[in-house]
Amino acid sequence: MKYIYLGVSDLYLPATTAAIHLEQLDSLHGPTQQKLKSLSYFRTVGKEDDGKLYFAGRDNKGDEVYIASIKGHPDVAVRAVQSLLGLYQMSLSEVQVIPCLPENPQISLVCSVFKQLGLQNAADYVGYKLVNNRFTAIVKSVRREPV
């Protein structure tokens, strides 16, 4: 099985969700800002990141975990992955694409503006607050079974 945690315009939520999946973070308590900053890929994204898959690791079952970010319309990305699986004659049950969405997608825009202004620490702080606000939903989204 391959898991892809998909973010919209940032990697804050997907990186955190993948870390919980890989048991790098405690799923019972919200992580500290320092712990989140130590995660690979816990950051805003640039144009070069759009749609790119990043390997996060293998879980305790040997399943591969990836993260990605797209500019918008995660439902379209999920359907595209499913279509590609069909082209490659792979079962839909072999890949799970799990959207990791902020309640307000404009938060990612704020993080991007901070990054462009050279205020990466401010962007990461907003990402930390985003993770804490969505932590219950993040934990629930980890390792969803195929529908």
Side-chain angles (χ1 to χ4, degrees), residues 13 16-17 19-20 24-37 39 42 127-139:
L13 294 174
T16 303
T17 310
I20 291 171
Q24 297 168 346
L25 289 176
D26 182 0
S27 63
L28 299 177
H29 304 93
T32 65
Q33 185 177 2
Q34 192 63 30
K35 185 68 174 174
L36 289 174
K37 283 185 84 165
L39 296 177
F42 185 81
Y128 161 71
K129 296 303 275 182
L130 173 64
V131 166
N132 278 327
N133 289 341
R134 301 285 298 150
F135 193 70
T136 301
I138 290 170
V139 171

Side-chain angles (χ1 to χ4, degrees), residues 1-7 10-22 24 40-41 51-59 62-69 81 85 90 94-100 141-143:
M1 173 74 76
K2 294 174 184 12
Y3 295 90
I4 303 170
Y5 292 105
L6 181 65
D10 70 59
L11 290 172
Y12 293 119
L13 294 174
T16 303
T17 310
I20 291 171
H21 182 129
L22 295 168
Q24 297 168 346
S40 297
Y41 307 114
K52 186 174 180 181
L53 282 177
Y54 294 101
F55 180 69
R58 288 188 184 272
D59 65 14
D63 295 328
E64 296 174 6
V65 177
Y66 296 87
I67 62 172
S69 178
V81 168
L85 291 175
M90 293 175 68
E94 291 181 50
V95 177
Q96 287 291 303
V97 180
I98 299 119
C100 304
S141 71
V142 173
R143 291 188 226 174

